[in-house]
Each structure stands twice: as structure tokens, then as C-alpha cells.
Amino acid sequence: QSEKDLGVVVNNQLKWNDNINSCIKDANRMIAWVTRNILNRDSDILTRIYKTIIRPKLEYCVQIWNMSNCYGNWSTILELESIQRRFTRLVNDIGLLPYSERLKKLNLTTLGERRLRGDLIETYKILNDKVQYGENLFRLSRSRKNILHSSAQSNDSDICKLRAHFLPERVCNYWNKLPNYVKSSNDVNSFKSNLEVFKNECLHENDNNYWHVSKLIL
């Protein structure tokens, strides 16, 4: 059984397959509409359309339903990514380039990387009281700089698997790899800027940071 609440579909097993399938269908409908009705395939115009009416379909409440990058989830991760792959092929002059090159030309990242970046931004907001929810969501180290994995135990293996995909567990390793100057940013915009600086400094390091998912997808 599935139930839709505030635009998010969840089933009685706390799995998000129905919601993700709904997001993919909505995004595909919008791409079909654009293909039929927008004759100008200029990169600036199509990028604005994509960011305005298509990508939001794939990212609504994403911190609730985002999945860990692990075995069993990759088919869904790649299916979501295929929406962006498909749309970038519509752009004049770059449609036949490899996906990685199309992303560079359009100044986009993979959707998988965007979801992880969104997890980090949401975590920053919660830990720094920028939002009025989630204050008890994370277990912190004594320094309050790092996140600890949940110590909650359960004899139910299904519950353990579900817990591993929720935000506090999913983001833990990626957050702990951030340098202190990123974690200690003064506001959300500073955090985003510092996150980008950190990425550019360490882009070619093979340290399983949040942008590493793009290498796996590409």
C-alpha cells in the first residue's frame, strides 16, 4: 500500500520506489512537452528550462527519499540520471558528445552528486540551527564537528537496512571528510562557496568525497 502526503509517495514498508517512479514519469512528461513545443534548442534556453521545470521534478523533498550509493540502489540511481542524459542530448551542437562533456558545456553536475551536495547543505542547516527541525536527528562527536553513526540496535535486519538509507547515516562519512573551514561557515551561502572551494582543491584525489559518485556514474 502507498500513500501520498505533501506530494511525496511512501509505502507501508517505508520504501520510496513509488515516489521515485512518479518523479521519473513527471520529468519524462515535461521533456516530451519541451520536445514538442520548444523549437529553439540553444543551450542557455534549454538549460534554464531544465533547471526551472524538469530538474525540480527529480529533487522534490529529495533529502527524505535519497538513497545511499550502494549495491542494490545503482539501477535506480542510473535511471534517475538517465533523465538528465536524455535532456542534454536535445541541446544544439553538443547532443552527440559524451555525457561528461555535455555536463561541462552546460555547467551541470550529475544528479547523484547534486543529491549528495544537497544532503550536506541540509545537514549544515540542521546542525547550525538554520532551520527549525531536526535538532535531535544527528549524534555528534565531543568536538561537535563530526557525525557519529547511530548506536541504535535492532534485531530486525530490515529496520537496520532502512536506517542506513536515511539522512543521518547516509551523510555521515561525507560530512566527516569536510575540512573545518567548510563545516564552520557563517551562513548557508558561505557553506556552498566553501564546499565548492574544497571540491576544486581536492577534485582529483581518490578519497571517496561526495563528488566521487559522479566518477562512478560517468
Side-chain angles (χ1 to χ4, degrees):
Q1 289 183 335
S2 297
E3 188 73 30
K4 189 171 186 177
D5 186 25
L6 298 177
V8 180
V9 182
V10 61
N11 64 25
N12 57 0
Q13 295 180 319
L14 278 180
K15 294 184 178 179
W16 306 100
N17 306 59
D18 294 336
N19 183 74
I20 292 170
N21 289 335
S22 176
C23 291
I24 290 171
K25 286 179 181 178
D26 286 347
N28 275 324
R29 283 194 207 100
M30 291 308 304
I31 291 177
W33 181 88
V34 169
T35 303
R36 289 194 307 270
N37 295 284
I38 306 298
L39 300 180
N40 191 327
R41 300 299 171 86
D42 177 76
S43 60
D44 288 339
I45 291 174
L46 284 190
T47 301
R48 288 187 185 186
I49 290 173
Y50 175 68
K51 290 180 177 180
T52 304
I53 63 174
I54 295 174
R55 192 168 67 184
K57 301 280 186 186
L58 302 171
E59 295 181 338
Y60 179 69
C61 289
V62 68
Q63 271 66 56
I64 295 178
W65 57 260
N66 189 16
M67 67 222 87
S68 300
N69 301 314
C70 63
Y71 178 79
N73 290 337
W74 275 103
S75 62
T76 304
I77 291 169
L78 293 176
E79 189 174 4
L80 284 164
E81 198 68 38
S82 70
I83 303 298
Q84 186 165 265
R85 284 180 187 269
R86 178 186 169 196
F87 189 84
T88 55
R89 289 195 190 101
L90 299 177
V91 180
N92 279 345
D93 301 325
I94 68 170
L96 298 179
L97 293 176
Y99 182 46
S100 58
E101 292 299 315
R102 298 200 300 270
L103 293 181
K104 288 178 183 178
K105 296 283 186 183
L106 299 174
N107 196 27
L108 299 172
T109 65
T110 64
L111 292 175
E113 181 179 326
R114 268 185 64 84
R115 288 194 296 273
L116 286 177
R117 179 177 176 272
D119 282 351
L120 292 170
I121 293 170
E122 194 67 24
T123 300
Y124 170 82
K125 290 178 182 178
I126 293 171
L127 294 182
N128 290 274
D129 300 322
K130 305 297 184 184
V131 291
Q132 297 180 353
Y133 54 80
E135 62 273 8
N136 298 316
L137 202 56
F138 297 96
R139 291 181 65 241
L140 298 178
S141 64
R142 290 182 180 179
S143 68
R144 302 190 67 78
K145 294 291 185 183
N146 290 330
I147 297 173
L148 304 177
H149 285 288
S150 173
S151 60
Q153 300 295 320
S154 173
N155 294 325
D156 190 330
S157 61
D158 288 337
I159 291 177
C160 291
K161 289 177 182 177
L162 284 172
R163 183 182 293 126
H165 297 304
F166 281 88
L167 178 64
E169 295 296 311
R170 192 175 68 226
V171 79
C172 182
N173 292 336
Y174 297 109
W175 177 267
N176 293 343
K177 289 180 182 296
L178 298 180
N180 284 336
Y181 77 84
V182 179
K183 297 175 185 175
S184 303
S185 300
N186 292 326
D187 53 46
V188 176
N189 286 333
S190 296
F191 179 79
K192 292 178 181 178
S193 298
N194 289 335
L195 199 60
E196 193 64 23
V197 170
F198 173 57
K199 176 185 173 180
N200 291 333
E201 288 176 347
C202 305
L203 185 60
H204 300 294
E205 294 182 11
N206 190 19
D207 198 24
N208 201 29
N209 285 294
Y210 75 93
W211 58 83
H212 182 67
V213 68
S214 286
K215 298 179 181 179
L216 299 177
I217 289 171
L218 296 173

